[in-house]
Amino acid sequence: MADRVHPSAKPAAAATTNGATAAATTTATANGAPTTAFPAANGTPTKPQLYRPYRPQPPKRRRRRPRCSLCCCCFWTILLLLFVALLAAIAGAALYVLYHPHRPAFSLSSLRTNALNLTTASDGSASRLTTLFNLTLISKNPNSHTFTFFYDPFLVSLSSASGSVFLGNGSIPAFASYPKNQTTLRAVASGSTEDVDAESVAALRSDLKRKNGLALEIRMDTKVRVKAGGRKSKKVGIRVVCSGIKGVSAPKDKNATVVADVADSRCKVDLLIKIWRFTF
């Protein structure tokens, strides 16, 4: 009886191409990263490919703009403004030397009181003040040539020197004041206050009993435009305040008038500077 021979297990044959054995070879690099070499089509092993782990790159920093450009811009802007201011100052000095301009002048010629009645109710609950004044003012243009002043209508208000009691208001029409010329202005100021507070009544009665009478102040607000040659400026607000008026008292008769003492009166002219809602 013949024995059966069983073939032994053989390793799987490697695939060959053109008689050459192609096999994938894995090696390790010096840093421990594995590399794999794959056979080429003709059986020649290719150069091992190195696989390195991905490392994220840090974000790039934005370069800041140098501060020099901003500083240079501010420097040249300030320098330009100073240069313009210098030119304006030189032009103003030249005009002043050539023309020597003067501000307008005002004076109070007379003030007459036609009515100054203060009545109080029997129970003392309310007081009424009725006034009527006639005033004459003189406007002067002291400039010898070139400058002409054009005034808008004046708003005139009268009050006690302390400013605690309002006495009346009025107006003066618009006019022009030419060089080396003076203009006479007349105005009527009146007031009728129905309910005067007790403090104002007491102050007014005390002033009227004085020997020199009531001290009064006149305030006039308007706008003026200056013409120099063929050029006109923009309108500028001015305020004329006349103080030092004495001897104001109530007439003893309805048809009588009281002439105030205006010998020591002085009128001051100031510019009105308006910023937003405030006037200085």
Side-chain angles (χ1 to χ4, degrees):
M1 188 173 176
D3 296 333
R4 293 182 180 180
V5 180
H6 298 278
S8 59
K10 296 181 179 180
T16 60
T17 306
N18 295 333
T21 303
T25 305
T26 303
T27 60
T29 60
N31 58 1
T35 61
T36 305
F38 293 95
N42 56 2
T44 304
T46 60
K47 188 177 180 179
Q49 298 180 1
L50 180 60
Y51 291 94
R52 295 181 180 179
Y54 172 74
R55 295 180 181 178
Q57 299 294 329
K60 295 182 179 181
R61 296 181 179 179
R62 295 182 179 179
R63 294 183 179 179
R64 296 181 179 178
R65 295 183 178 179
R67 297 182 179 179
C68 179
S69 59
L70 181 60
C71 293
C72 292
C73 182
C74 293
F75 172 76
W76 287 110
T77 301
I78 295 174
L79 189 63
L80 180 62
L81 292 177
L82 291 176
F83 181 71
V84 172
L86 179 61
L87 289 180
I90 294 174
L95 289 175
Y96 183 82
V97 171
L98 289 175
Y99 300 107
H100 198 65
H102 297 276
R103 66 174 59 189
F106 290 84
S107 61
L108 181 63
S109 177
S110 66
L111 175 67
R112 296 177 180 272
T113 306
N114 296 89
L116 181 56
N117 301 323
L118 180 62
T119 57
T120 305
S122 57
D123 57 356
S125 59
S127 299
R128 181 179 180 181
L129 178 63
T130 305
T131 59
L132 179 62
F133 300 94
N134 282 276
L135 56 148
T136 304
L137 297 104
I138 296 176
S139 171
K140 296 180 181 180
N141 185 352
N143 296 284
S144 58
H145 59 281
T146 305
F147 291 95
T148 303
F149 299 108
F150 295 90
Y151 296 97
D152 284 356
F154 284 76
L155 178 62
V156 183
S157 62
L158 283 72
S159 63
S160 60
S162 60
S164 59
V165 183
F166 171 76
L167 297 175
N169 55 15
S171 62
I172 297 175
F175 67 96
S177 181
Y178 297 95
K180 285 295 181 181
N181 190 16
Q182 67 178 24
T183 306
T184 302
L185 309 172
R186 291 181 174 85
V188 176
S190 61
S192 179
T193 307
E194 296 294 336
D195 190 7
V196 185
D197 58 276
E199 184 178 354
S200 298
V201 170
L204 185 59
R205 290 188 185 277
S206 175
D207 291 339
L208 289 174
K209 290 179 181 180
R210 292 180 180 178
K211 182 178 180 181
N212 294 330
L214 174 67
L216 190 141
E217 182 180 89
I218 301 174
R219 179 175 297 183
M220 300 180 291
D221 293 340
T222 187
K223 289 184 177 181
V224 60
R225 174 179 292 176
V226 182
K227 181 180 179 182
R231 297 183 179 181
K232 289 184 179 181
S233 68
K234 294 183 178 180
K235 291 183 179 181
V236 179
I238 62 171
R239 173 172 290 173
V240 182
V241 179
C242 299
S243 57
I245 306 168
K246 303 176 183 179
V248 178
S249 60
K252 297 180 180 180
D253 195 299
K254 290 183 178 181
N255 297 325
T257 58
V258 176
V259 180
D261 182 9
V262 297
D264 297 331
S265 64
R266 295 291 182 271
C267 296
K268 183 180 178 182
V269 182
D270 294 321
L271 288 175
L272 288 180
I273 301 175
K274 188 173 183 180
I275 301 177
W276 195 35
R277 297 180 180 179
F278 303 97
T279 303
F280 302 93

